[in-house]
Amino acid sequence: QVQLLESGGGWVQPGDSLRLSCVVSGGTFSGWALGWFRQAPGNEREFVMAIHKNGASTRTSGKVTGRFTITRDSAKNTVYLQMSRLKPEDTAVYYCAADPQSRYGGDPSLYEYWGQGTQVTVSS
């Protein structure tokens, strides 16, 4: 059974940094693309970043370009989202997702497996 477990969320002030982690179990981590999405109250789930199975190719939402970085560690079956210069509009529940076909796209429908999410709140 595939499971994705996010951690690292919390409350931070504008301008702070935060690193989210997502541990993937029960699947072929090395062969999958991983993505991060977020959903704020009243909004649809939106794409944040994705990383190809090769670990080198990434895709980024224009809303987080230059502030967020996605990486993966195959030895730990973990994908990370390093967030810096956080803004109040980054407040959302953040979800990691896995695409067994490694398309690393921005469309949520491409991802077969999802975590439960971790809350990130940016407020002064």
Side-chain angles (χ1 to χ4, degrees):
Q1 181 180 359
V2 176
Q3 290 187 322
L4 285 71
L5 183 62
E6 302 98 335
S7 62
W11 175 84
V12 295
Q13 294 187 331
D16 284 352
S17 298
L18 203 59
R19 189 178 79 160
L20 305 183
S21 301
C22 174
V23 179
V24 180
S25 60
T28 312
F29 179 88
S30 61
W32 293 357
L34 284 306
W36 286 96
F37 293 78
R38 67 186 183 186
Q39 188 167 17
N43 291 354
E44 294 185 352
R45 191 167 298 188
E46 67 172 2
F47 171 72
V48 178
M49 296 194 75
I51 187 166
H52 192 268
K53 64 182 180 181
N54 63 21
S57 302
T58 62
R59 203 183 303 276
T60 306
S61 162
K63 293 183 179 181
V64 305
T65 298
R67 300 189 298 123
F68 290 13
T69 303
I70 188 170
T71 56
R72 60 190 294 160
D73 185 340
S74 292
K76 298 181 179 180
N77 282 8
T78 301
V79 60
Y80 303 97
L81 184 68
Q82 178 67 49
M83 305 183 293
S84 61
R85 304 201 310 273
L86 282 160
K87 305 175 182 180
E89 51 264 43
D90 294 319
T91 296
V93 177
Y94 283 71
Y95 299 89
C96 70
D99 172 15
Q101 298 187 48
S102 200
R103 290 160 292 186
Y104 77 116
D107 183 348
S109 69
L110 298 177
Y111 295 80
E112 184 171 345
Y113 303 106
W114 291 83
Q116 293 300 306
T118 184
Q119 175 71 47
V120 173
T121 302
V122 185
S123 173
S124 56

